[in-house]
Amino acid sequence: MALSAGISAPLMANTKSAIKNNRKTIARTLHNRSRKTRIKTLAKKVAALAADGSDKEALKAAAIDYVSAMDKAAKTNLVHNNKASRAKASVAKYIAG
C-alpha cells in the first residue's frame, strides 16, 4: 500500500475491512492536517495584524475567519472545545484593545 504525504499506517492488514480502515485513516489524516494548518495560518495572520495595530478592519475580518474556523474545528472534535474558547477569548482581547 502506497502512503502519501509521509503518513504511516499499519501495513500488515489481514482483512478487507482492515485494509479499508487504513485507507480511511490516511484520507482523514490528510483532511485533518490541512484543516489544522489553515487554523494555524489564520491564527498567525490575526496575531500579525494585532501586533501591527494599524488596520482595525482587516484585524476584525481576520478574527471573524479565525473564530469561524475554530468553531467548526471544535464542532468536529478537531480541536478541544476549551481550546477553541480560549482562542476566541484571546482574539476578542485583540479586537477590544
Side-chain angles (χ1 to χ4, degrees):
M1 173 187 250
L3 299 178
S4 60
I7 298 172
S8 61
L11 297 178
M12 297 301 294
N14 292 322
T15 62
K16 286 183 179 181
S17 62
I19 293 168
K20 180 178 178 181
N21 282 332
N22 284 345
R23 284 196 314 264
K24 286 167 48 177
T25 298
I26 292 167
R28 289 174 181 163
T29 302
L30 288 173
H31 182 69
N32 289 338
R33 183 181 293 171
S34 68
R35 289 174 60 201
K36 281 189 172 186
T37 302
R38 180 173 181 272
I39 288 171
K40 291 174 188 176
T41 302
L42 290 171
K44 289 176 191 174
K45 185 176 180 181
V46 169
L49 287 169
D52 182 29
S54 62
D55 193 0
K56 294 289 186 182
E57 291 302 317
L59 173 60
K60 190 169 184 176
I64 289 170
D65 289 342
Y66 177 59
V67 167
S68 175
M70 285 301 284
D71 281 338
K72 289 178 183 176
K75 180 175 73 172
T76 58
N77 293 323
L78 186 64
V79 297
H80 196 276
N81 286 334
N82 291 351
K83 180 174 182 170
S85 294
R86 284 195 312 271
K88 288 163 42 176
S90 65
V91 167
K93 287 181 186 176
Y94 283 149
I95 293 173

